PDB file of all heavy atoms in Angstrom:
ATOM      1  N   LYS A  30     -16.913 -20.036 -13.568  1.00 91.00           N
ATOM      2  CA  LYS A  30     -16.961 -20.190 -12.123  1.00 91.00           C
ATOM      3  C   LYS A  30     -17.262 -18.838 -11.478  1.00 91.00           C
ATOM      4  O   LYS A  30     -16.725 -17.816 -11.885  1.00 91.00           O
ATOM      5  CB  LYS A  30     -15.580 -20.706 -11.675  1.00 91.00           C
ATOM      6  CG  LYS A  30     -15.536 -21.232 -10.303  1.00 91.00           C
ATOM      7  CD  LYS A  30     -14.336 -22.146 -10.079  1.00 91.00           C
ATOM      8  CE  LYS A  30     -13.055 -21.393  -9.928  1.00 91.00           C
ATOM      9  NZ  LYS A  30     -11.948 -22.220  -9.439  1.00 91.00           N
ATOM     10  N   THR A  31     -18.160 -18.830 -10.496  1.00 94.00           N
ATOM     11  CA  THR A  31     -18.529 -17.609  -9.791  1.00 94.00           C
ATOM     12  C   THR A  31     -18.092 -17.720  -8.334  1.00 94.00           C
ATOM     13  O   THR A  31     -18.416 -18.701  -7.670  1.00 94.00           O
ATOM     14  CB  THR A  31     -20.057 -17.396  -9.819  1.00 94.00           C
ATOM     15  OG1 THR A  31     -20.505 -17.350 -11.162  1.00 94.00           O
ATOM     16  CG2 THR A  31     -20.443 -16.098  -9.128  1.00 94.00           C
ATOM     17  N   PRO A  32     -17.368 -16.722  -7.825  1.00 96.00           N
ATOM     18  CA  PRO A  32     -17.008 -16.777  -6.410  1.00 96.00           C
ATOM     19  C   PRO A  32     -18.235 -16.547  -5.527  1.00 96.00           C
ATOM     20  O   PRO A  32     -19.193 -15.892  -5.948  1.00 96.00           O
ATOM     21  CB  PRO A  32     -15.996 -15.642  -6.243  1.00 96.00           C
ATOM     22  CG  PRO A  32     -16.212 -14.735  -7.391  1.00 96.00           C
ATOM     23  CD  PRO A  32     -16.813 -15.548  -8.490  1.00 96.00           C
ATOM     24  N   GLU A  33     -18.202 -17.098  -4.330  1.00 95.00           N
ATOM     25  CA  GLU A  33     -19.276 -16.838  -3.365  1.00 95.00           C
ATOM     26  C   GLU A  33     -19.276 -15.359  -2.997  1.00 95.00           C
ATOM     27  O   GLU A  33     -20.320 -14.747  -2.856  1.00 95.00           O
ATOM     28  CB  GLU A  33     -19.078 -17.671  -2.105  1.00 95.00           C
ATOM     29  CG  GLU A  33     -19.376 -19.132  -2.283  1.00 95.00           C
ATOM     30  CD  GLU A  33     -19.288 -19.860  -0.961  1.00 95.00           C
ATOM     31  OE1 GLU A  33     -18.171 -20.110  -0.488  1.00 95.00           O
ATOM     32  OE2 GLU A  33     -20.375 -20.162  -0.413  1.00 95.00           O
ATOM     33  N   PHE A  34     -18.072 -14.823  -2.807  1.00 96.00           N
ATOM     34  CA  PHE A  34     -17.902 -13.404  -2.525  1.00 96.00           C
ATOM     35  C   PHE A  34     -16.470 -13.007  -2.851  1.00 96.00           C
ATOM     36  O   PHE A  34     -15.606 -13.864  -3.035  1.00 96.00           O
ATOM     37  CB  PHE A  34     -18.252 -13.064  -1.067  1.00 96.00           C
ATOM     38  CG  PHE A  34     -17.347 -13.701  -0.043  1.00 96.00           C
ATOM     39  CD1 PHE A  34     -16.238 -13.012   0.434  1.00 96.00           C
ATOM     40  CD2 PHE A  34     -17.617 -14.957   0.447  1.00 96.00           C
ATOM     41  CE1 PHE A  34     -15.409 -13.592   1.376  1.00 96.00           C
ATOM     42  CE2 PHE A  34     -16.803 -15.543   1.400  1.00 96.00           C
ATOM     43  CZ  PHE A  34     -15.689 -14.858   1.873  1.00 96.00           C
ATOM     44  N   VAL A  35     -16.260 -11.706  -2.956  1.00 97.00           N
ATOM     45  CA  VAL A  35     -14.929 -11.166  -3.229  1.00 97.00           C
ATOM     46  C   VAL A  35     -14.612 -10.150  -2.141  1.00 97.00           C
ATOM     47  O   VAL A  35     -15.400  -9.234  -1.883  1.00 97.00           O
ATOM     48  CB  VAL A  35     -14.858 -10.487  -4.618  1.00 97.00           C
ATOM     49  CG1 VAL A  35     -13.458  -9.957  -4.890  1.00 97.00           C
ATOM     50  CG2 VAL A  35     -15.285 -11.461  -5.712  1.00 97.00           C
ATOM     51  N   TYR A  36     -13.469 -10.340  -1.506  1.00 97.00           N
ATOM     52  CA  TYR A  36     -12.972  -9.400  -0.490  1.00 97.00           C
ATOM     53  C   TYR A  36     -12.109  -8.399  -1.248  1.00 97.00           C
ATOM     54  O   TYR A  36     -11.224  -8.790  -2.014  1.00 97.00           O
ATOM     55  CB  TYR A  36     -12.151 -10.181   0.527  1.00 97.00           C
ATOM     56  CG  TYR A  36     -11.798  -9.444   1.790  1.00 97.00           C
ATOM     57  CD1 TYR A  36     -12.784  -8.974   2.642  1.00 97.00           C
ATOM     58  CD2 TYR A  36     -10.472  -9.260   2.159  1.00 97.00           C
ATOM     59  CE1 TYR A  36     -12.466  -8.339   3.823  1.00 97.00           C
ATOM     60  CE2 TYR A  36     -10.144  -8.627   3.341  1.00 97.00           C
ATOM     61  CZ  TYR A  36     -11.142  -8.170   4.168  1.00 97.00           C
ATOM     62  OH  TYR A  36     -10.819  -7.530   5.347  1.00 97.00           O
ATOM     63  N   ILE A  37     -12.378  -7.117  -1.086  1.00 97.00           N
ATOM     64  CA  ILE A  37     -11.745  -6.094  -1.918  1.00 97.00           C
ATOM     65  C   ILE A  37     -11.086  -5.013  -1.062  1.00 97.00           C
ATOM     66  O   ILE A  37     -11.685  -4.516  -0.116  1.00 97.00           O
ATOM     67  CB  ILE A  37     -12.784  -5.442  -2.858  1.00 97.00           C
ATOM     68  CG1 ILE A  37     -13.407  -6.511  -3.754  1.00 97.00           C
ATOM     69  CG2 ILE A  37     -12.147  -4.328  -3.691  1.00 97.00           C
ATOM     70  CD1 ILE A  37     -14.571  -6.019  -4.574  1.00 97.00           C
ATOM     71  N   HIS A  38      -9.853  -4.674  -1.445  1.00 95.00           N
ATOM     72  CA  HIS A  38      -9.161  -3.516  -0.879  1.00 95.00           C
ATOM     73  C   HIS A  38      -9.047  -2.485  -2.003  1.00 95.00           C
ATOM     74  O   HIS A  38      -8.490  -2.775  -3.058  1.00 95.00           O
ATOM     75  CB  HIS A  38      -7.733  -3.866  -0.429  1.00 95.00           C
ATOM     76  CG  HIS A  38      -7.641  -4.868   0.661  1.00 95.00           C
ATOM     77  ND1 HIS A  38      -7.936  -4.578   1.971  1.00 95.00           N
ATOM     78  CD2 HIS A  38      -7.273  -6.163   0.648  1.00 95.00           C
ATOM     79  CE1 HIS A  38      -7.746  -5.646   2.715  1.00 95.00           C
ATOM     80  NE2 HIS A  38      -7.354  -6.627   1.936  1.00 95.00           N
ATOM     81  N   LEU A  39      -9.589  -1.299  -1.795  1.00 95.00           N
ATOM     82  CA  LEU A  39      -9.402  -0.191  -2.727  1.00 95.00           C
ATOM     83  C   LEU A  39      -8.402   0.770  -2.093  1.00 95.00           C
ATOM     84  O   LEU A  39      -8.566   1.164  -0.940  1.00 95.00           O
ATOM     85  CB  LEU A  39     -10.712   0.553  -2.977  1.00 95.00           C
ATOM     86  CG  LEU A  39     -11.799  -0.166  -3.742  1.00 95.00           C
ATOM     87  CD1 LEU A  39     -13.030   0.732  -3.850  1.00 95.00           C
ATOM     88  CD2 LEU A  39     -11.324  -0.553  -5.114  1.00 95.00           C
ATOM     89  N   LEU A  40      -7.390   1.151  -2.848  1.00 94.00           N
ATOM     90  CA  LEU A  40      -6.387   2.092  -2.362  1.00 94.00           C
ATOM     91  C   LEU A  40      -6.361   3.287  -3.307  1.00 94.00           C
ATOM     92  O   LEU A  40      -6.220   3.122  -4.514  1.00 94.00           O
ATOM     93  CB  LEU A  40      -4.997   1.440  -2.340  1.00 94.00           C
ATOM     94  CG  LEU A  40      -4.879   0.148  -1.551  1.00 94.00           C
ATOM     95  CD1 LEU A  40      -3.523  -0.505  -1.790  1.00 94.00           C
ATOM     96  CD2 LEU A  40      -5.093   0.421  -0.080  1.00 94.00           C
ATOM     97  N   LEU A  41      -6.507   4.465  -2.757  1.00 93.00           N
ATOM     98  CA  LEU A  41      -6.426   5.695  -3.533  1.00 93.00           C
ATOM     99  C   LEU A  41      -5.157   6.418  -3.090  1.00 93.00           C
ATOM    100  O   LEU A  41      -5.071   6.903  -1.964  1.00 93.00           O
ATOM    101  CB  LEU A  41      -7.643   6.591  -3.293  1.00 93.00           C
ATOM    102  CG  LEU A  41      -7.631   7.917  -4.040  1.00 93.00           C
ATOM    103  CD1 LEU A  41      -7.814   7.682  -5.534  1.00 93.00           C
ATOM    104  CD2 LEU A  41      -8.696   8.842  -3.501  1.00 93.00           C
ATOM    105  N   LEU A  42      -4.161   6.442  -3.977  1.00 89.00           N
ATOM    106  CA  LEU A  42      -2.887   7.083  -3.676  1.00 89.00           C
ATOM    107  C   LEU A  42      -2.881   8.479  -4.277  1.00 89.00           C
ATOM    108  O   LEU A  42      -3.082   8.642  -5.484  1.00 89.00           O
ATOM    109  CB  LEU A  42      -1.727   6.253  -4.240  1.00 89.00           C
ATOM    110  CG  LEU A  42      -1.710   4.803  -3.770  1.00 89.00           C
ATOM    111  CD1 LEU A  42      -0.687   4.000  -4.554  1.00 89.00           C
ATOM    112  CD2 LEU A  42      -1.421   4.738  -2.293  1.00 89.00           C
ATOM    113  N   ARG A  43      -2.692   9.480  -3.429  1.00 86.00           N
ATOM    114  CA  ARG A  43      -2.717  10.874  -3.868  1.00 86.00           C
ATOM    115  C   ARG A  43      -1.360  11.284  -4.402  1.00 86.00           C
ATOM    116  O   ARG A  43      -0.347  11.092  -3.743  1.00 86.00           O
ATOM    117  CB  ARG A  43      -3.071  11.796  -2.703  1.00 86.00           C
ATOM    118  CG  ARG A  43      -4.362  11.514  -1.969  1.00 86.00           C
ATOM    119  CD  ARG A  43      -5.611  11.626  -2.800  1.00 86.00           C
ATOM    120  NE  ARG A  43      -5.632  12.715  -3.712  1.00 86.00           N
ATOM    121  CZ  ARG A  43      -6.563  13.652  -3.761  1.00 86.00           C
ATOM    122  NH1 ARG A  43      -7.565  13.643  -2.920  1.00 86.00           N
ATOM    123  NH2 ARG A  43      -6.520  14.595  -4.661  1.00 86.00           N
ATOM    124  N   LEU A  44      -1.329  11.848  -5.612  1.00 83.00           N
ATOM    125  CA  LEU A  44      -0.116  12.413  -6.200  1.00 83.00           C
ATOM    126  C   LEU A  44      -0.353  13.907  -6.343  1.00 83.00           C
ATOM    127  O   LEU A  44      -0.667  14.410  -7.415  1.00 83.00           O
ATOM    128  CB  LEU A  44       0.186  11.755  -7.553  1.00 83.00           C
ATOM    129  CG  LEU A  44       0.392  10.241  -7.534  1.00 83.00           C
ATOM    130  CD1 LEU A  44       0.620   9.709  -8.930  1.00 83.00           C
ATOM    131  CD2 LEU A  44       1.539   9.859  -6.612  1.00 83.00           C
ATOM    132  N   LYS A  45      -0.216  14.586  -5.225  1.00 81.00           N
ATOM    133  CA  LYS A  45      -0.571  16.006  -5.149  1.00 81.00           C
ATOM    134  C   LYS A  45       0.213  16.860  -6.157  1.00 81.00           C
ATOM    135  O   LYS A  45      -0.355  17.693  -6.852  1.00 81.00           O
ATOM    136  CB  LYS A  45      -0.323  16.509  -3.730  1.00 81.00           C
ATOM    137  CG  LYS A  45      -1.020  17.785  -3.392  1.00 81.00           C
ATOM    138  CD  LYS A  45      -0.851  18.080  -1.919  1.00 81.00           C
ATOM    139  CE  LYS A  45      -1.949  18.999  -1.457  1.00 81.00           C
ATOM    140  NZ  LYS A  45      -1.887  19.245  -0.028  1.00 81.00           N
TER     141      LYS A  45
END
Side-chain angles (χ1 to χ4, degrees):
K30 194 160 76 168
T31 302
E33 287 186 284
F34 64 93
V35 181
Y36 192 61
I37 301 172
H38 297 285
L39 291 179
L40 305 171
L41 179 70
L42 305 170
R43 304 298 320 236
L44 301 178
K45 198 172 203 176

